Amino acid sequence: MASFSRPLLALIMGQVCLHSCMAGVRVAGPLLALRSGQPAWAVGVLLGLFAAAPVLSSLYAGRLADRHGYHRPLRMAVSLTVVGGTLAVAATWWTQAQFPLLCIAACLCGVGTNFGLIANQRSAGKLADGDRAGLTRVFSWLGLAPAMSNVVGPVTAGALIDLTGFRGAFVALTLLPFAAVWWSRQVPREAVAAAAPVAGTKSAAWDILAMPGVGRLLLVNFLMSSSWDLHSFIVPVIGHERGFSASAIGLILGVFAAAVASVRVVLPFLSHRLREHQVLAAAMLLTAGVFCVYPLMHNAWLMGLCAAALGLALGAVNPMVMTSLHHLTPGHRHGEAIALRSMTVNATSAVMPLVFGAAGAAVGASALFWAMGAAVGMGSWQARRMGQVLALGSDTKP
C-alpha cells in the first residue's frame, strides 16, 4: 500500500517549484504587458500561450518519460522554465521587443512545467506499485502541488512587483525551478530494464485511444476540465453583472479552491473504500446539479456554497482519472497516456474560454451554466460504464 513517502514529497515539492514559476510569470507577464500599453486581446493571446504551447509538446514529453524515467525530463523541464523566466527578465530591459519576449517566455514556461508534470505523474504511479487504493492516495497527494503553486507563484509575484518591480519578481521566480533539481535527488532512478521497450517507442500514440475505456475516460476528463474552466471564467462575469465587490468575487473563487484542496486531503484516507467510476459518476452528477442552480443564486454567500460543492466534485476528479488511466494502459506507455490527457486539459484551457466568451455574449451566462450542466449530466453515464472496463483491466492489462 502506497504511503506518504520521501520520494512522493520530493515529487510534490519539485512540481511546486516548477509550477510556481510558471504561475507567477502568468500573473506578472500580463500585468507588465498591460502597464506597457498592450491591448486586452494581446494579453489574452499571451495567457493562452501558457496552455496552448504544451499541447504540441506533450506527446514528446510522455515518450521521453517512458524511455528515461523522471530525472532527464525534469532537467529538461527546469532548463525550459529557467530560459522562459530569463526571457521575461530580459523583457524588462528590452522594451522594444517586450511583448514577443513575453510570448516566448509564456511558451517555454508552459512547456517546461508540462514536461515536469508528465514526468511527475508517471513516477508517482510507480510509487503505488500497481495498488489501486495506493494510486488514488498518491494522486490525491500529488494533486495538492498545483493548488499550492497557484498560491505561491502569484503571491510571490505580486509581493515582489510591489517591493522591487517586475525585474526583481521575474528574477526570483526564475530561481524557483532550481530547487526542483535539489528535490529530485530524493526520487529513485529507474533501472534500465524498467524503461520503455524499444518496440513501444514507435507505436502511434493515438492507438492508446483505441484501448478499452481510454476514450471514454478522456471524454469524462474533457467535460470536467471544461466545467472547471467555465466556473473560473464565468463567476467574475456574473459577479460583475450583479454588482458584487471584488473581494466577494475573490471569496467565491477562494472557497472553490479551498474545497478542491480539502477533498484531495481527505481522499487518501478513503481510497480503500472508493471505486473510480463511482466517484467520477457522482462528481459529474453533482456538477450538473450545481450548474443547474448556480445562475439562480443572486447572493454572494449562496454562490459561495455552490462553489464549495463544485470544488468538492471537481477536486475528486483528477486522482480518479489518473488512477483509471494507469489501470487502462500498459505500464511502458503510461507516459504517453498521461501526455494524451495533458493535451486534452491544455487544449481545453486554451480554447474553451474563447468559446465561453463568444457563447456567453450570444446566449448569456446563465444559459452557459445550464448547457454545460446538461452535457456533464448526460456524460455521467460514460463514467458509470467504465466500472466493468476497469474491473477487466485490473485482471488482464500487461
Side-chain angles (χ1 to χ4, degrees):
M1 302 287 281
S3 59
F4 196 94
S5 59
R6 186 183 294 270
L8 178 58
L9 175 62
L11 290 174
I12 293 172
M13 295 308 299
Q15 188 61 32
V16 168
C17 295
L18 274 173
H19 201 122
S20 294
C21 175
M22 187 271 290
V25 174
R26 191 170 55 194
V27 170
L31 284 177
L32 177 59
L34 287 170
R35 292 193 186 182
S36 300
Q38 294 294 331
W41 69 264
V43 175
V45 169
L46 178 60
L47 282 169
L49 289 174
F50 284 95
V55 175
L56 303 176
S57 60
S58 289
L59 283 178
Y60 175 75
R63 288 174 177 148
L64 190 72
D66 281 333
R67 288 197 300 269
H68 301 291
Y70 175 73
H71 291 84
R72 183 179 293 190
L74 177 75
R75 290 195 297 270
M76 290 188 64
V78 170
S79 299
L80 289 165
T81 307
V82 167
V83 172
T86 302
L87 290 177
V89 174
T92 64
W93 270 298
W94 194 4
T95 55
Q96 295 88 344
Q98 186 177 85
F99 187 70
L101 285 173
L102 289 175
C103 288
I104 298 172
C107 292
L108 291 174
C109 288
V111 170
T113 302
N114 194 53
F115 263 66
L117 177 63
I118 290 172
N120 264 23
Q121 290 177 333
R122 179 188 174 279
S123 298
K126 301 292 183 183
L127 297 179
D129 196 26
D131 174 39
R132 198 161 184 163
L135 281 168
T136 301
R137 280 197 294 274
V138 163
F139 287 122
S140 297
W141 290 122
L142 197 66
L144 293 174
M148 295 168 62
S149 305
N150 286 326
V151 174
V152 173
V155 169
T156 300
L160 289 178
I161 288 170
D162 290 338
L163 290 173
T164 66
F166 284 97
R167 188 173 302 156
F170 284 133
V171 168
L173 292 169
T174 303
L175 295 176
L176 283 174
F178 289 109
V181 179
W182 184 87
W183 280 105
S184 70
R185 299 183 304 172
Q186 306 296 326
V187 180
R189 292 183 178 273
E190 291 186 27
V192 175
V198 174
T201 60
K202 295 184 179 180
S203 300
W206 304 109
D207 65 15
I208 292 177
L209 294 174
M211 296 179 182
V214 173
R216 186 174 292 133
L217 180 65
L218 291 181
L219 174 61
V220 169
N221 189 80
F222 166 76
L223 289 171
M224 298 306 272
S225 180
S226 297
S227 299
W228 190 307
D229 290 328
L230 173 63
H231 184 258
S232 300
F233 172 84
I234 212 70
V235 165
V237 174
I238 288 182
H240 177 73
E241 289 178 351
R242 295 175 180 175
F244 294 169
S245 65
S247 59
I249 295 172
L251 178 63
I252 293 169
L253 294 174
V255 167
F256 171 79
V260 169
S262 298
V263 75
R264 290 181 180 174
V265 170
V266 172
L267 278 177
F269 302 101
L270 302 175
S271 57
H272 61 288
R273 298 182 179 179
L274 301 176
R275 287 294 174 265
E276 296 82 13
H277 67 286
Q278 294 173 345
V279 175
L280 288 173
M284 296 182 81
L285 290 173
L286 177 56
T287 299
V290 170
F291 278 170
C292 286
V293 301
Y294 217 130
L296 307 178
M297 302 293 109
H298 292 270
N299 178 283
W301 290 105
L302 293 177
M303 285 182 66
L305 289 176
C306 288
L310 190 65
L312 293 175
L314 296 180
V317 168
N318 182 68
M320 298 302 164
V321 168
M322 294 304 302
T323 300
S324 301
L325 198 61
H326 273 68
H327 276 280
L328 293 173
T329 56
H332 69 277
R333 302 192 69 185
H334 280 166
E336 284 184 286
I338 294 169
L340 284 175
R341 176 189 171 273
S342 177
M343 289 176 66
T344 303
V345 172
N346 282 300
T348 300
S349 297
V351 174
M352 293 310 289
L354 300 176
V355 175
F356 293 145
V363 301
S366 297
L368 273 181
F369 268 127
W370 292 328
M372 181 57 73
V376 172
M378 289 187 292
S380 64
W381 71 277
Q382 296 283 5
R384 290 195 296 271
R385 289 182 61 188
M386 281 179 10
Q388 185 176 4
V389 178
L390 286 169
L392 290 173
S394 298
D395 298 329
T396 64
K397 88 175 192 67

